[in-house]
Amino acid sequence: PSRSAVRITSSWFAPVSGIYLAGCGLYALIGFPLDDVWHRLFGQDVTLWGPTHLMLIGGAGLSTLGIILLLTRGLDRKTFLALRRPPSWRRAARTGAAVILVVFVVSAIVAQFANAEREQGLIPEHWDPSRALPFAAFCVVVVVIAPIVEELLFRVVGYGLLEQFGQYPAIVLVGLSFALVHGLIAGF
């Protein structure tokens, strides 16, 4: 067992990341019976982003971080997760700017043939002020939590695990898996 492992019994230890993952799963599972109660009290056709739905989505989303921690267990996370300064900040800034430019150009081209907003159907048609709190929670999940978890899962852990097959195959496989997980034709 590692130094940070939690002793369950005299001979059984659990990694902290495993306990975190179990906690996220439990939090999401508690949302199921509460969701049933919520629908019985307020009807079936309530908002998609109700509090119990946020419990389910939040627990599932945050569990991804636990999976990342378990996948990197025993590795030098600082090196594996690329938590280091770039050799040249100028080169990193130029590369970042070039990537952003390429993304905008490719997005403009793909937008002529596919529309991710219509594919997913998640953008509301009108504003309902009574749903401001769920909307704000949704924004935090989509704008803050999901991108961080996706970057860690796909580009860091995914690439790190696939790099043994070569740099370019790893990049292509990570990109394809990212598009497949999101279920977007525009992602291809």
Side-chain angles (χ1 to χ4, degrees):
S2 69
R3 291 180 306 180
S4 62
V6 176
R7 182 187 297 264
I8 306 294
T9 66
S10 61
S11 61
W12 187 32
F13 295 86
V16 173
S17 52
I19 293 172
Y20 169 80
L21 182 60
C24 288
L26 180 63
Y27 180 70
L29 283 174
I30 290 171
F32 280 105
L34 291 178
D35 189 55
D36 184 52
V37 171
W38 181 267
H39 287 297
R40 288 174 192 266
L41 291 174
F42 300 106
Q44 289 295 325
D45 206 11
V46 295
T47 176
L48 175 65
W49 300 108
T52 55
H53 295 171
L54 291 174
M55 286 179 69
L56 298 166
I57 294 166
L62 291 173
S63 67
T64 310
L65 181 60
I67 293 169
I68 292 166
L69 293 172
L70 280 172
L71 283 172
T72 59
R73 190 168 161 247
L75 300 173
D76 178 15
R77 286 192 179 123
K78 194 169 186 177
T79 302
F80 188 78
L81 297 176
L83 301 173
R84 59 188 177 277
R85 292 175 5 143
S88 166
W89 283 104
R90 262 191 202 164
R91 183 174 180 207
R94 282 195 311 266
T95 302
V99 166
I100 289 171
L101 179 65
V102 168
V103 166
F104 278 128
V105 169
V106 171
S107 295
I109 293 168
V110 169
Q112 304 302 315
F113 308 103
N115 187 328
E117 291 174 7
R118 277 187 299 218
E119 274 186 53
Q120 291 181 328
L122 295 177
I123 297 177
E125 298 295 322
H126 65 280
W127 174 249
D128 182 0
S130 68
R131 297 182 177 168
L133 187 60
F135 183 77
F138 168 74
C139 285
V140 169
V141 169
V142 170
V143 175
V144 178
I145 296 171
I148 292 170
V149 170
E150 286 179 347
E151 287 297 314
L152 286 172
L153 183 62
F154 288 100
R155 288 174 179 73
V156 176
V157 175
Y159 179 81
L161 294 173
L162 295 171
E163 190 178 25
Q164 62 186 329
F165 302 111
Q167 184 179 19
Y168 293 111
I171 291 169
V172 170
L173 288 171
V174 166
L176 288 174
S177 64
F178 183 85
L180 284 172
V181 165
H182 286 81
L184 295 174
I185 295 171
F188 288 101

